[in-house]
């Protein structure tokens, strides 16, 4: 239980780093929109239809990239929130496992007529039950959070696919819930 809790914390910390990188990519995409807007204005002044068409296509591609970047940020934030809830779920299960262990020790001590001073054996079953209820509740919250993260992932994948089609090149952004690291392929 402690190892699973440690892994959940590490996953959360890793996702926090990925979210920072995604925000940087989002800022880059917004700069590309500004550049495309400038190029479009320049093309409009030249009265060259070919330059104007290229500039409009570049602007559309940049706007779709920003839309995909925004969706990826929402996905990563939702996924990180789910990881935080999952981490808490693992903590609750760890505490429940500890409570079950302490209950078992108390039962063995009672059977062997061992009664340390200040220990009330009647508290252990209630503690184990309370921890079990909290673990079940946290599991439900984690499952709900996973559903939200999956929905945000689907939204991002659609937006990213549209942006990839417009640019003509597939993106290679990491997909933490996907089986591969490449999205949009």
């Amino acid at each position: 239980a402690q190892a699973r809790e440690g892994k959940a914390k590490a996953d959360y910390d890793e996702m926090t780093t990925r979210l920072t990188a995604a925000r940087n990519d989002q800022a880059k995409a917004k700069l590309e929109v500004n550049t495309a807007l400038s190029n479009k204005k320049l093309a409009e002044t030249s009265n060259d239809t070919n330059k104007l068409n290229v500039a409009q296509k570049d602007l559309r591609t940049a706007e779709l990239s920003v839309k995909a970047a925004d969706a990826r940020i929402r996905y990563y934030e939702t996924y990180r929130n789910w990881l935080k809830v999952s981490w808490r779920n693992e903590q609750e299960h760890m505490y429940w496992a500890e409570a079950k262990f302490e209950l078992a020790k108390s039962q063995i001590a009672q059977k062997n007529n061992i009664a340390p001073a200040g220990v009330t054996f009647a508290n252990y079953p209630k503690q184990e039950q309370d921890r079990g209820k909290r673990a079940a509740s946290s599991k439900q919250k984690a499952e709900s959070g996973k559903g939200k993260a999956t929905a945000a992932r689907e939204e991002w994948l659609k937006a990213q696919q549209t942006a990839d089609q417009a640019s003509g090149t597939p993106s290679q952004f990491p997909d933490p819930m996907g089986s591969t690291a490449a999205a949009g392929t």
Side-chain angles (χ1 to χ4, degrees):
Q2 288 176 342
R4 287 177 37 186
E5 187 272 337
K7 182 181 179 331
K9 181 187 182 320
D11 290 346
Y12 176 80
D13 292 342
E14 178 186 346
M15 196 60 219
T16 300
T17 302
R18 282 189 181 188
L19 184 57
T20 300
R23 287 188 176 128
N24 292 338
D25 290 338
Q26 180 187 37
K28 179 183 170 191
K30 288 179 180 180
L31 286 174
E32 289 174 2
V33 167
N34 292 339
T35 301
L37 277 171
S38 298
N39 290 341
K40 183 181 176 209
K41 287 179 185 176
L42 183 62
E44 288 172 348
T45 60
S46 72
N47 291 327
D48 185 348
T49 307
N50 289 332
K51 284 184 181 179
L52 185 58
N53 289 340
V54 169
Q56 287 175 336
K57 181 190 178 297
D58 289 347
L59 178 60
R60 173 85 174 125
T61 300
E63 288 171 341
L64 289 172
S65 293
V66 167
K67 194 173 184 179
D70 292 344
R72 185 163 62 114
I73 294 292
R74 283 189 299 277
Y75 164 44
Y76 278 19
E77 287 173 343
T78 305
Y79 182 74
R80 187 179 67 156
N81 291 341
W82 171 61
L83 287 176
K84 187 174 186 177
V85 172
S86 294
W87 176 19
R88 184 64 188 161
N89 178 46
E90 293 300 337
Q91 289 174 331
E92 292 293 349
H93 280 277
M94 180 179 68
Y95 299 146
W96 184 31
E98 289 173 359
K100 288 191 287 189
F101 177 69
E102 293 298 325
L103 175 62
K105 285 186 351 184
S106 72
Q107 289 171 342
I108 290 171
Q110 277 182 309
K111 287 179 184 175
N112 293 319
N113 294 323
I114 300 172
V119 174
T120 308
F121 290 121
N123 293 342
Y124 289 100
K126 182 180 179 338
Q127 180 187 32
E128 188 273 336
Q129 289 174 354
D130 290 345
R131 289 295 182 182
K133 288 176 186 175
R134 289 180 65 150
S137 173
S138 70
K139 184 176 182 179
Q140 289 176 340
K141 289 177 185 175
E143 289 171 357
S144 172
K146 184 176 183 179
K148 291 176 186 175
T150 301
R153 176 181 183 257
E154 293 302 318
E155 177 188 329
W156 168 61
L157 288 175
K158 287 177 186 175
Q160 191 63 57
Q161 183 180 24
T162 303
D164 289 349
Q165 287 173 346
S167 71
T169 56
S171 63
Q172 297 298 318
F173 296 116
D175 180 4
M177 292 182 85
S179 58
T180 61
T185 55

